[in-house]
Amino acid sequence: MSNKGYTGHMELHEPELRDVPVTAVLAALADDVRLQIVRALAEGGEYACGTFEFGVSKATRSHHLKVLREAGLTRTRAAGTSRYVRLRRDELDRLYPGLLDAVLTAPTRS
Amino acid sequence: MSNKGYTGHMELHEPELRDVPVTAVLAALADDVRLQIVRALAEGGEYACGTFEFGVSKATRSHHLKVLREAGLTRTRAAGTSRYVRLRRDELDRLYPGLLDAVLTAPTRS
DNA sequence: GAGGTTGTTCGACGCATGTCGAACAAGGGT
DNA sequence: ACCCTTGTTCGACATGCGTCGAACAACCTC
């Protein structure tokens, strides 16, 4: 929040799901771009950040991935210059059974 | 939207759930006050708008009830000077099975 | 190490949203 | 008729959020 001038170590902080208010999880899902990302991630496996080309700049994409990560929805692994993202499906399903399925099976309404 | 000066007939428009984007439903649920209202409504039955005293003014309460209604989450019936609100649970459960349960059974984290 | 690739951060911009008080509308009581 | 209650709308304000380009960092390759 108050990091002026880049501290340099890139914390990558992924909260415990229990510590994230439900409203934050819902808010994270309540955006078209992020929902597309989640749908893509739901296919399973890891994806490099660059994979997600949804008509936004890489700055915006980075922002959305941060929101998802800090809402406890994704985990990120750094490898070389890339970063691999995956859905925290098991934890999500355990804490909010049915939520993800409901959202993912919802009509795609492009 | 462009109603200047009060038109007077109070449309009360409740959309078909299919016509509401998922993100709008999620956004409607992604607010503390509205979530409290939904939790209260989930007890079943109808509630007058004034029932919901969650530390906000009646203007704000009215706003939140409008958001919920226009996201297809509630139905409103006018009777006298009061207005009775209820959850559209059946429709919700049919279109987004598991969503409401997941949100309602989530830890209350006051 | 110079240059390319990948992703994050900053600063700025506009738009949406939560909040309130005040004014208004519609009904119900007495 | 008058007033009170209930709820909506308006206008204003502050804050939050999505978006971008530009600058930066870390890494890899040659």
Side-chain angles (χ1 to χ4, degrees):
Chain A
M1 225 45 146
S2 57
N3 274 346
K4 197 69 196 283
Y6 202 167
T7 55
H9 59 329
M10 242 176 263
E11 267 293 317
L12 232 339
H13 87 301
E14 303 175 341
E16 280 305 312
L17 217 31
R18 293 93 206 286
D19 299 336
V20 180
V22 207
T23 47
V25 175
L26 292 169
L29 292 169
D31 175 279
D32 270 310
V33 176
R34 288 196 292 269
L35 198 46
Q36 286 184 75
I37 295 177
V38 169
R39 279 196 224 271
L41 287 173
E43 301 297 322
E46 289 181 324
Y47 293 81
C49 298
T51 312
F52 311 108
E53 278 295 349
F54 295 120
V56 294
S57 73
K58 62 178 179 172
T60 303
R61 185 211 320 142
S62 192
H63 162 68
H64 285 308
L65 288 169
K66 183 179 183 180
V67 171
L68 288 173
R69 185 177 61 244
E70 294 185 339
L73 293 178
T74 61
R75 250 181 229 293
T76 304
R77 178 179 65 89
T81 136
S82 293
R83 264 144 115 110
Y84 294 93
V85 183
R86 65 181 186 283
L87 243 195
R88 296 170 66 172
R89 215 200 215 297
D90 299 356
E91 304 172 64
L92 242 6
D93 286 346
R94 213 174 319 126
L95 195 59
Y96 304 117
L99 208 185
L100 241 125
D101 285 328
V103 169
L104 292 175
T105 62
T108 311
R109 180 174 316 294
S110 88
Chain B
M1 224 45 144
S2 55
N3 275 349
K4 198 73 196 284
Y6 202 149
T7 56
H9 59 324
M10 243 177 263
E11 267 294 314
L12 229 342
H13 88 299
E14 303 175 341
E16 281 304 313
L17 216 33
R18 292 93 205 287
D19 299 336
V20 180
V22 206
T23 46
V25 175
L26 293 168
L29 292 169
D31 176 279
D32 270 310
V33 176
R34 288 196 292 268
L35 198 46
Q36 285 184 78
I37 294 178
V38 169
R39 280 197 224 270
L41 288 173
E43 301 298 322
E46 289 182 323
Y47 294 81
C49 298
T51 312
F52 311 109
E53 279 295 349
F54 296 120
V56 294
S57 72
K58 62 176 178 174
T60 303
R61 184 207 326 138
S62 191
H63 162 69
H64 285 309
L65 288 170
K66 183 180 185 181
V67 171
L68 288 173
R69 184 176 62 244
E70 295 186 339
L73 293 177
T74 60
R75 248 178 230 295
T76 304
R77 178 179 65 91
T81 138
S82 292
R83 261 145 116 109
Y84 294 93
V85 183
R86 64 181 187 282
L87 243 196
R88 296 170 65 173
R89 212 193 216 301
D90 299 356
E91 306 173 62
L92 241 9
D93 284 347
R94 214 173 319 123
L95 195 59
Y96 304 117
L99 208 185
L100 243 130
D101 285 329
V103 169
L104 292 174
T105 62
T108 312
R109 178 176 316 295
S110 88

